[in-house]
Amino acid sequence: MAEKYKRADGRDYDETRKMEAKVGVVKRADGSAIFSFGKSQALACVYGPRQFHPQHLQNPEKGVLRCYYDMTSFSVPERKRPGPNRRASEISFVTSRALETVIPLENYPNSVIDCYILILQADASTRCAGINAAALALASAGIPMKEMVSAVSVGKIGGAIVADISKDEEDYEIVKDGKTIKSATDIPFAILSRSEKISLLQLDGRIKPEDLKEAIAMAKKVCRKINEIQKKALKKIKEE
Ligand code: CDP
């Protein structure tokens, strides 16, 4: 029988790295938060809603949520060139889509809500840390949200379905036909708190339909825990 996959840091399959959430960290912003999964740490700042400029971009029927994701140059071991790149544009796009679904944008005609997500240190799953921070920042900016949004990556590594993938896990390799190949599958999810609808599902790697079902179930279970941490962080700021 094949040996059961052991996670390098000893975590259970459905266990995340240590999570930390703090709201109200940037006073000039209308809403802000920090969220981390272990060494992956995201800061999110929300400004708005305010009138959308330039005027020709305004939509009289609904407002727009714009999320900008970026990493600081020294958030990763190999210095990242400053400024936007294709990866950041893609993550900004999917983050906006994952979050806008819970905001009644029809209440904000001709307006824009900007959400800046900065990765302060990265050890994989940063888009999920960013979504968790952004959802908190939006809520703390007083923007009504139909549901909370929580995000986690779930992967298939060494034959096991595991939650909250670290960089080491993402780089997991096996030897096949004498060749060393990357074999991790990484699926970032965002789940809405009440309906448990999925507002983000990306797939990096390959997965069988039955394993995907297991991954979805695990993402929902873990996102319930993340949601509890988000609720606690929001409650704390109200009490302060
Ligand atoms: O961070 P996330 O898993 O959402 O996105 P990814 O594109 O799958 O990137 C995985 C990880 O690769 C990041 O979290 C970083 O740890 C690392 N990375 C890096 O070292 N240098 C980059 N320029 C981009 C990513």
Side-chain angles (χ1 to χ4, degrees):
M1 212 176 96
E3 219 179 284
K4 216 173 151 214
Y5 171 69
K6 264 203 192 122
R7 304 187 81 174
D9 52 13
R11 275 186 282 153
D12 289 337
Y13 289 170
D14 62 354
E15 189 180 346
T16 67
R17 289 167 286 177
K18 185 169 185 241
M19 291 189 272
E20 281 178 1
K22 194 166 191 305
V23 170
V25 288
V26 175
K27 302 297 169 214
R28 283 266 297 150
D30 294 309
S32 63
I34 278 184
F35 188 95
S36 43
F37 286 119
K39 284 182 268 169
S40 283
Q41 185 175 47
L43 165 70
C45 291
V46 166
Y47 301 88
R50 58 185 166 75
Q51 217 179 32
F52 203 165
H53 290 294
Q55 213 172 348
H56 71 269
L57 291 176
Q58 289 181 3
N59 181 344
E61 279 166 15
K62 62 178 201 158
V64 174
L65 171 70
R66 288 191 300 195
C67 295
Y68 301 93
Y69 165 104
D70 201 0
M71 298 169 107
T72 58
S73 293
F74 296 101
S75 61
V76 282
E78 209 158 300
R79 177 184 174 273
K80 181 214 157 247
R81 209 169 145 201
N85 54 29
R86 274 188 59 182
R87 175 179 174 274
S89 307
E90 176 222 311
I91 298 178
S92 301
F93 178 82
V94 296
T95 299
S96 302
R97 301 291 86 76
L99 292 163
E100 70 183 7
T101 182
V102 298
I103 300 172
L105 288 168
E106 62 284 0
N107 294 352
Y108 303 107
N110 302 320
S111 304
V112 64
I113 301 167
D114 282 318
C115 178
Y116 295 89
I117 300 165
L118 194 57
I119 305 304
L120 305 174
Q121 48 179 33
D123 183 13
S125 305
T126 60
R127 76 194 64 202
C128 296
I131 289 171
N132 292 332
L136 282 172
L138 286 163
S140 72
I143 292 164
M145 293 163 80
K146 297 171 201 161
E147 308 184 45
M148 195 52 177
V149 185
S150 310
V152 71
S153 60
V154 176
K156 187 166 183 188
I157 297 159
I161 305 289
V162 298
D164 182 31
I165 296 164
S166 66
K167 184 69 179 144
D168 280 351
E169 289 181 318
E170 201 183 87
D171 294 340
Y172 184 79
E173 292 174 333
I174 55 164
V175 179
K176 201 175 176 186
D177 304 328
K179 278 192 205 148
T180 303
I181 52 166
K182 273 200 170 190
S183 89
T185 298
D186 174 13
I187 317 170
F189 284 96
I191 311 274
L192 312 191
S193 57
R194 224 166 339 100
S195 61
E196 296 207 320
K197 284 184 179 162
I198 297 170
S199 66
L200 171 83
L201 193 166
Q202 295 184 284
L203 173 62
D204 186 6
R206 294 160 71 93
I207 195 141
K208 291 188 195 135
E210 59 270 28
D211 287 339
L212 181 60
K213 273 193 191 160
E214 194 183 331
I216 293 172
M218 187 177 283
K220 287 185 177 176
K221 183 178 165 199
V222 175
C223 280
R224 275 177 227 134
K225 284 191 198 154
I226 297 172
N227 183 238
E228 287 307 315
I229 289 181
Q230 288 171 307
K231 279 199 286 195
K232 253 193 212 159
L234 285 167
K235 208 169 157 221
K236 201 164 175 207
I237 193 83
K238 273 190 203 148
E239 287 166 359
E240 276 172 13

